[in-house]
Amino acid sequence: MRIHRVHTWQDLEPGLKVSIRDRAAHYLVRVLRITSGQTIVLFNGDGHDYVAEVIRPGKSELVLEVTSRLPAARESNLHIVVVQAISRGERMDQTLQKCTELGAHAFQPLFSERVEVRLRPEKLEKRMQHWQAVVVSACEQSGRAVVPEVRAPLDFGEWLFQADPAFRLALAPGAEQSLVSLALPASIELAVGPEGGFSEIEMDLMASHAVRPVSLGPRILRTETAAPAAVAILQALGGDFV
Ligand code: SAH
């Protein structure tokens, strides 16, 4: 039988009783039909899995007791921050989901010139919560016990002119250098354009601020394909696809 993994923001330790409420409880009890005595795995992002036994499977509150803590070594030594120009709806979700599965360390959403999504301040908070929830469920599914952070969106200029920048790459169709040909440091920021790509001005600005343009071959990929493809390549070159 498959063991379910469930994220919680609560502190966890062996011996502790934990209650899971609302939608997560509903899903486990009503949809998955979890019953007393069954085991599930909880994680809160601290790098461990916590085995827990179901004590009371209520419809709106599920009570569990944590029985043991296990290290979950599923993080890559290569820190990849995906700097994704905000794409429309589902596409952004796909980028977040796939790159989480592939072991990205964090996400930096970006407003670049050709981003078509407008987010008013009151909508922004909700959208960030949605993005973080997409990442959390990709962690539940993929066995990650460290949850990648979805950072607050930055404007292109704010990102570009950051003090003390990391080693930065920009995916750019037609770039002379191939992503595969790079020697990699342990920490990388990878910028990916929106549906319409980065503008020429943005490409020039990046080139003059030590952001290296790199190519993923001769075909133009959709933005939601480009980021996961690049993360997979980076993990194979210098990460944990061994
Ligand atoms: N119409 C745009 C294509 C944008 S594709 C153009 O011609 O520039 C969206 C983003 O995916 C690009 O900005 C780039 O970051 C990435 N991308 C897509 N295909 C790529 C490739 N073959 N090599 C490198 N990056 C690519």
Side-chain angles (χ1 to χ4, degrees):
M1 188 175 54
R2 195 178 148 232
I3 300 231
H4 301 290
R5 290 183 86 245
V6 178
H7 178 263
T8 170
W9 295 109
Q10 302 171 71
D11 287 341
L12 297 170
E13 61 177 289
L16 209 66
K17 285 203 175 59
V18 177
S19 89
I20 304 279
R21 291 173 194 274
D22 304 325
R23 277 173 56 195
H26 178 90
Y27 182 69
L28 286 163
V29 176
R30 282 301 187 86
V31 181
L32 300 178
R33 307 209 169 275
I34 292 279
T35 52
S36 286
Q38 221 170 306
T39 295
I40 68 171
V41 170
L42 299 173
F43 68 102
N44 62 7
D46 71 357
H48 295 87
D49 274 344
Y50 293 84
V51 181
E53 188 179 316
V54 177
I55 298 177
R56 219 171 46 235
K59 280 169 228 155
S60 57
E61 186 190 26
L62 172 69
V63 181
L64 303 124
E65 183 171 339
V66 177
T67 52
S68 60
R69 176 191 357 235
L70 308 168
R74 300 211 174 86
E75 299 309 306
S76 178
N77 286 328
L78 184 64
H79 277 199
I80 306 166
V81 178
V82 177
V83 181
Q84 174 68 51
I86 299 171
S87 51
R88 289 190 163 278
E90 285 260 293
R91 294 189 173 166
M92 190 70 180
D93 292 1
Q94 286 180 11
T95 297
L96 295 166
Q97 182 193 65
K98 306 303 174 208
C99 292
T100 299
E101 291 169 30
L102 291 162
H105 175 70
F107 296 94
Q108 175 61 69
L110 198 67
F111 283 107
S112 66
E113 197 177 319
R114 296 186 184 152
V115 166
E116 291 171 20
V117 177
R118 299 279 165 263
L119 288 174
R120 276 179 275 122
E122 63 275 18
K123 286 268 168 90
L124 182 65
E125 187 58 33
K126 259 197 114 180
R127 186 62 66 90
M128 282 179 61
Q129 282 171 9
H130 168 76
W131 288 336
Q132 191 69 68
V134 170
V135 166
V136 162
S137 62
C139 288
E140 289 177 337
Q141 177 274 323
S142 63
R144 289 186 73 175
V146 175
V147 179
E149 178 193 7
V150 181
R151 299 180 182 161
L154 290 177
D155 286 328
F156 178 82
E158 291 177 287
W159 170 71
L160 189 69
F161 300 123
Q162 267 172 347
D164 201 15
F167 178 86
R168 300 194 285 191
L169 302 172
L171 292 184
E176 266 172 42
Q177 192 163 26
S178 149
L179 179 61
V180 179
S181 68
L182 288 175
L184 300 175
S187 190
I188 295 170
E189 289 199 5
L190 176 79
V192 189
E195 290 88 338
F198 288 117
S199 69
E200 269 183 39
I201 295 175
E202 286 170 335
M203 290 308 302
D204 288 348
L205 280 168
M206 287 195 279
S208 57
H209 286 81
V211 185
R212 290 160 207 234
V214 286
S215 146
L216 290 176
R219 288 168 295 280
I220 305 284
L221 309 173
R222 285 178 184 264
T223 182
E224 70 273 26
T225 310
V231 173
I233 291 168
L234 291 170
Q235 295 289 26
L237 289 177
D240 60 0
F241 283 15
V242 283

